[in-house]
Amino acid sequence: MSFHTIVLVKHVPDIEKVRFDVETGRIDRSSAPGEINPFDLNAVEVAVRLKEKLGGMVTALCMGPPQAESSLRDAIARGVDRAVLLTDSRFAGADTLATSYTLASAIRKIGRFNLVVCGEKTVDGDTGQVGPEVAEHLGIPHVAYVCEVREVYDNRLVVVSDMGDKFLVEVMLPALITVTRDVCSPRLPTLRDILRARRSRIEVWDADALSGFIDISRIGLKGSRTNVFRIVIPSEYHRRGVILRGSDSVSKLVEALRMEGLI
Amino acid sequence: MFSNGVLVYSEYDEGAIHPVAFELLGKSREIADRLGVEVWGVIVGYRIGDDKARELIYYGADRVFIYDHPRLEYFDPVLYRDVLVDLVERVNPSVFLFGATPLGRSLAPRVAAAIGAGLTADCIDIQVDENGDIIQVRPAFTGNILAYIKTTSRPVMSTVRYRVMKMPNRDTSRVGEIIRLAYSLGRDSGIRVLGRISRRSVDLGRADIVVAGGRGFRKKEDLKMLEDLANLLGGVVGVSRPLVDEGWMPRERQVGFSGNTVKPRLYMAFGISGSPQHIAGMRGSEVVVAVNIDPSAPIFKIADYGIIGDLYEVIPKLIEELNRIKRG
Ligand SMILES: Cc1cc2nc3c(=O)[nH]c(=O)nc-3n(C[C@H](O)[C@H](O)[C@H](O)COP(=O)(O)OP(=O)(O)OC[C@H]3O[C@@H](n4cnc5c(N)ncnc54)[C@H](O)[C@@H]3O)c2cc1C
Ligand SMILES: Nc1ncnc2c1ncn2[C@@H]1O[C@H](COP(=O)(O)O)[C@@H](O)[C@H]1O
């Protein structure tokens, strides 16, 4: 039986480029090109290394807008074999509960797997919740903050989980892990891989494609239980903004810190 | 039975309650008084003494629930989920708060998904509005925005960042009830914790003074001056991510989005440009000092005191001045 890893990747805006409108509290997603969530590169790398060690295959799964295809092509260039994009306006507006439910439903449809790998968190949602929630929907164990995969067998893994202190944990498969940046460094795809990925097929599934696996009332905005009703963009910080230059700047700083009672 | 209380998950490890639980009890007391309900704590683990539960009461809990079992000694998200779902079913809390520690952020989503509840991650504020609705405030987009969130399911669940809520007074005259609950842990969870293999040697999140260095440092050996400065100030050394990637410092020293969130009284940044990912981890600092040769470095936008200058000149001078003060 071959080892099948499913890796969850999200398509996120490049956070260095994305613009925020201080007045309206709007995020202008069109201001920044999308890319694969940086933390998910580590998840892809772990999955691909497992394949290189054990054989088998890796499937990347992403829920997002049609443009998210580019992130899946990136994953293919880095060694993923099969890519599935969940895209449908009915999926939109999902919080972590609805997102994880949708991803779990798609995993059920994909069928047999040994392991699901997630990134530690996303740079936009930034919750780190989707992984453990997917595990719960699937009824499988999970280990979060995996910083090292020590031993791999076809029915179990031994990993190090970084919870502040580090713990050695054995987990029976199928299971889900979320990985930190320490787990491995992501490889750079070669030009050949990138060209190959450009020609590869991405399977696109809408909500109907998941019928039999999904309850439509639990997806998207309707299936969400948290509601963002206001966004504030901190425009200026309440900082003193004292700029010092010249030869006496250090003594002025020391004086100021003494006044603040800090030294 | 009683219901509707504000419930605080009280992380327990090696005989100690994580202090974020006390902060959450303080906040819960405020929320509960507004809503006219009780404050509850829950402790999950093995060999939990009544004295631990009493601490929760001193910090504001009216009742403390305990699940005590040898199989609960180490954190197992599946078994811990089992007992917490059992508790939610028994006592029907209106709000359920966790510390946004690694454990809290691994456990809370399991519980939330199991009961079909919404969950808000890493909150930095919780308010009650005029309708008695709970408002959760959290950073998102790598700290670039603050989102205000309401939850439409019950209990309202969130993980809350450590050291943002005020530590309440410890009032040893407070009384409350300690309730030990039996639960038959059934099946094998599929998880076996084989042991704690290393301890974190420093916790930047708790530091009062952080002296941080970035790519302005030219080589690893030069970080020695940073250490000397930190020692003089009674602070700890932190770094930006490139220095961790270089292998100059371990990850536990990294400040930022993919490292530690710090909230010291004094944060000093030497040779750090101030990327959004770095700022995400130190924005909550009380006083920020930045030293950078580039006057246009973004770090100056969030600095209280900025020195435009070469860290290789500034740090030795600082050390000298501080030594002089010390000598009196
Ligand atoms: C997903 C993701 C997560 C990330 N997470 C983090 C994180 O957690 N923490 C983090 O720090 N970064 C993080 N980063 C990286 C971040 O984007 C920046 O690359 C990083 O913060 C830059 O570090 P720096 O300021 O030390 O280096 P640089 O940006 O290179 O800045 C060095 C500064 O030093 C100044 N300088 C040079 N020489 C001197 C001198 N002699 N004296 C004084 N000043 C001098 C320069 O003017 C410059 O401003 C993350 C990036 C991504 C994509
Ligand atoms: N829309 C999505 N599609 C695929 N994977 C996702 C999605 N959202 C989150 N994930 C996965 O869950 C992890 C944690 O995401 P988050 O909870 O949003 O911080 C990410 O690193 C991904 O591995």
Side-chain angles (χ1 to χ4, degrees), chain A residues 121 136 168 181-182 232 244, chain B residues 110 146 194 251 257 306:
Chain A
K121 58 181 172 182
E136 181 63 32
L168 193 65
R181 289 184 53 247
D182 292 323
V232 172
L244 306 163
Chain B
R110 270 227 78 131
L146 286 179
L194 305 174
R251 170 89 49 217
F257 187 64

Side-chain angles (χ1 to χ4, degrees), chain B residues 199 205-206 281 301 305 317:
Chain B
R199 282 168 202 280
R206 299 191 194 198
K301 285 198 212 121
Y305 301 99
K317 262 197 210 163

Side-chain angles (χ1 to χ4, degrees), chain A residues 16 38-39 123, chain B residues 214-216 218 239-242 254-259 271-275 277-278 291-294 297 309-312:
Chain A
E16 317 264 353
F39 293 92
V123 297
Chain B
R215 204 142 61 182
R218 290 195 281 267
V239 290
S240 67
R241 188 172 104 177
Q254 183 186 317
V255 175
F257 187 64
S258 53
I272 292 176
S273 61
S275 67
Q277 295 90 353
H278 189 81
V291 177
N292 200 303
I293 35 171
D294 175 5
D310 185 340
L311 71 89
Y312 283 92

